[in-house]
Amino acid sequence: MRREPLRLRFLRNDRFSTALILLTIALLVTGSGVLNRVDNLLYDLGQRLHSRPPPADLVIVAIDEDSLSKLGRWPWSRRLHAALVDRLHADGARVIGLDLVFAEPDTADQPADAALAEAVARAGNVVLPVLLESSRVNGQLLETLPLPQLLEQAAALGRVHAELDQDGIARSIFLWEGVGSPVWPHFAQAVLATAGQLPASFSRIPPAAADAMPFALVRASPRRITFLGPPGHVRTLSYVQALTGEFAPGTFRNKIVLVGATAAGMGDLLPTPVSGLRQPMPGVEVHANALESMRSGHLVRDVPPAAALLAAALLALAPLLWLPRLNPLGGLLASALWFVAVAAAAIALPFRGQAWMPVAGALLAILLAYPVWSWRRLEGAGRFLDHELKRLRQELGPVVDAQPRMLSHDPFEARIQQVQAAAQRLRHLQDEQRETLAFISHDIRAPLASALMQLDALPAAVQARLRDPLTRGLTLAEEFLRTSRAEMLDAARFEELDFAALVHQAIDDAFAAARAKEVQLVRQLPDDPLWVQGEFGLLHRAILNLVLNAVHYAPAHSSVTVCLRCAGVWAEASVTDHGPGIAAADRARLFRRFSRVAEQTTGTGLGLYFVRIVAEKHGGTVELASEAGKFSCFTLRLPLSRRPGNV
């Protein structure tokens, strides 16, 4: 089996080491979450770039600065809230969500609590909040519920406390939470359930974990909100306007109404992806965005960790599909485009697939793919140069004429200087080689040919002694000359050839030898041309060598079959004889210089070596299949320059 070329082994090692580095970066960063802030920034960027029109059936009644200035300092009498509930109910509100905590009695006006409870009962569609907070004494978590008389009349209860992510931004919610057991739905869930618009998938309370602590906060079903737009995007009416009836009749008919604080002094403002720290969003508007995301199916799930790791690995390794195939600039541009494409896909995923996947690890690996690949390729190139320089020193002697002190201090530049010196030495040897070929061509071949022409004038006994050695010497000189020309073949001299026509001509040229031995030449050639790039004379001689060699070993009255076919992107020419075959021990060295099979007593040992050199110079191969005592088949394979039938 032919060994893999050294440069291909280096390339494969560079691919493997680069893949291992990129895979390690992607998996470590994704698994550790060290770049979660980058992932959150991508999510937030998508929220800012994508906005949706606010739903027409959702209204916020805001406790704003104007309401505080007209109705007085907070807290207000609960008679005002009772009047507001009556006003909203009278105008036909579908559901009223009061994002206001009524956990303690109104000490200034105790009958006001009863008035509010009566208004809630009359409406029958009021949702009140549950607050999960820490005790001031020992920090124990408490579930703060509305006053008992309000609790009895409320249509539903839901949690209203804010959930901030690690970077201090409110973008996530848990559908279910509670102390010891996740029994409380989110405020938006409770409102939608009261309105009859809650999707069925959000209505079932999940069971508590078996190892849950009785006084610990238990959460289930995390989701991310897709925001409708920046603060103020949802339709809003001032509390004082709603209370005094300063609105058109039917404003709240069949509407979901959320009542909450928007004034800066109320302390219910949150930084969100669409607001930032300069323009925080009121908590009641966060609930409105969560409600609409839930109702429209736009709440976002996090991709499971195992799937996220697998996706990060695949995304990080993708640059290795093009980096080995493109030039440096093309590889850089392709990697940059892939970076942008992955980031854009991550930004769009919450809106297209209602899912979120952390891609910071993959993006970091993609960002480093080109530098890492370039580094590994430089390392591989350096190792290859060192290996080749060592081989050249062994074959040619010292290849650097300059003294070591004259070499560059840069190791890579020093290697380049050594290669330049080796190339100069090789060019010198090629001048020498041309002179040798000229010497063989003129000073050796010409006298041998002249001596053969003069043999007829000598006695028969002298001719018998001299003809064979002179013929052998001339044949050796000619084959050596052809082989040397093949070794010096320059691909720039190639032209497009019809390989089928070339094989036809080689068979015609072997006809006389086949006829003399009474061997039939059988052609199995296509009617259409098979186009290859090459040098006509050398390819013709290579095919002719194979045919003549087959004729030589074929038994008398047998046949030699020459077949040409298209095999994918290759043109395959095979020559088969039914001679003695070739022993397995001889096959490994058959294509070497001056090598012959054990039974061969004539020939120069350059014919098959010449065929191999011609095949390799044309980007092809030559192979042998043989069975002792039955057949031998030589196959010359060349790359097609165009597929059959293409102009």
Side-chain angles (χ1 to χ4, degrees), residues 239-290:
Y239 187 102
V240 69
Q241 288 180 287
L243 180 65
T244 58
E246 298 178 18
F247 56 84
T251 298
F252 300 104
R253 185 174 303 279
N254 290 324
K255 301 293 194 302
I256 296 176
V257 183
L258 302 181
V259 181
T262 63
M266 299 289 288
D268 191 20
L269 299 176
L270 301 171
T272 64
V274 293
S275 61
L277 297 176
R278 294 185 179 180
Q279 189 185 7
M281 180 177 287
V284 66
E285 191 169 2
V286 173
H287 294 323
N289 280 273

Side-chain angles (χ1 to χ4, degrees), residues 204-516:
R204 185 168 60 89
I205 300 177
D211 57 350
M213 301 296 292
F215 301 106
L217 181 63
V218 180
R219 295 170 163 176
S221 304
R223 298 289 188 274
R224 291 175 180 247
I225 303 171
T226 55
F227 288 82
L228 295 167
H233 192 65
V234 179
R235 182 185 179 188
T236 303
L237 190 69
S238 176
Y239 187 102
V240 69
Q241 288 180 287
L243 180 65
T244 58
E246 298 178 18
F247 56 84
T251 298
F252 300 104
R253 185 174 303 279
N254 290 324
K255 301 293 194 302
I256 296 176
V257 183
L258 302 181
V259 181
T262 63
M266 299 289 288
D268 191 20
L269 299 176
L270 301 171
T272 64
V274 293
S275 61
L277 297 176
R278 294 185 179 180
Q279 189 185 7
M281 180 177 287
V284 66
E285 191 169 2
V286 173
H287 294 323
N289 280 273
L291 182 150
E292 181 56 25
S293 296
M294 194 178 300
R295 179 172 61 173
S296 61
H298 285 90
L299 279 182
V300 176
R301 294 173 177 265
D302 285 348
V303 171
L309 289 173
L310 177 61
L314 296 177
L315 294 174
L317 294 178
L320 291 180
L321 296 176
W322 57 78
L323 285 176
R325 293 175 171 83
L326 299 179
N327 58 38
L329 179 58
L332 178 62
L333 293 177
S335 299
L337 290 175
W338 180 241
F339 180 92
V340 174
V342 172
I347 290 173
L349 185 60
F351 305 100
R352 301 297 182 185
Q354 287 72 56
W356 172 248
M357 183 179 70
V359 295
L363 289 177
L364 179 60
I366 295 169
L367 191 65
L368 296 176
Y370 183 81
V372 170
W373 171 253
S374 300
W375 162 52
R376 297 309 304 159
R377 292 300 289 137
L378 286 175
E379 288 284 342
R383 295 193 304 272
F384 179 76
L385 288 176
D386 290 341
H387 181 274
E388 290 299 300
L389 286 172
K390 181 179 179 181
R391 185 179 64 83
L392 288 174
R393 289 191 186 99
Q394 293 173 348
E395 295 179 358
L396 305 177
V399 296
V400 180
D401 297 328
Q403 297 296 324
R405 68 176 184 272
M406 299 180 64
L407 295 175
S408 172
H409 295 291
D410 183 352
F412 204 79
E413 182 65 25
R415 292 190 184 102
I416 294 176
Q417 292 176 356
Q418 291 176 325
V419 171
Q420 289 174 338
Q424 184 177 0
R425 178 70 178 274
L426 288 174
R427 286 194 295 270
H428 177 70
L429 292 177
Q430 289 176 347
D431 295 342
E432 290 182 357
Q433 189 176 22
R434 290 190 183 97
E435 291 175 359
T436 302
L437 291 178
F439 173 75
I440 294 175
S441 176
H442 183 268
D443 294 350
I444 294 181
R445 192 174 61 163
L448 289 173
S450 177
L452 280 172
M453 293 176 62
Q454 298 176 20
L455 281 180
D456 294 337
L458 298 176
V462 177
Q463 291 184 33
R465 290 197 308 269
L466 296 181
R467 186 174 299 277
D468 285 346
L470 287 175
T471 301
R472 179 175 173 78
L474 181 60
T475 301
L476 179 62
E478 289 179 343
E479 291 195 2
F480 180 79
L481 185 62
R482 280 196 296 265
T483 301
S484 298
R485 286 174 176 167
E487 291 174 335
M488 298 173 61
L489 180 61
D490 184 3
R493 297 170 49 193
F494 287 179
E495 58 183 357
E496 194 168 51
L497 305 171
D498 178 4
F499 197 34
L502 184 149
V503 174
H504 269 296
Q505 183 169 335
I507 297 173
D508 292 341
D509 293 341
F511 178 77
R515 182 177 181 182

Side-chain angles (χ1 to χ4, degrees), residues 33-45 47-48 163-172 224 227 270-274 276-277 356:
V34 67
L35 293 182
N36 275 349
R37 287 181 178 269
V38 175
D39 288 314
N40 287 333
L41 285 175
L42 289 175
Y43 185 87
D44 296 351
L45 178 60
Q47 298 301 311
R48 294 186 182 186
E163 179 66 31
L164 301 181
D165 291 340
Q166 293 178 348
D167 55 359
I169 304 296
R171 62 174 71 83
S172 303
R224 291 175 180 247
F227 288 82
L270 301 171
T272 64
V274 293
L277 297 176
W356 172 248

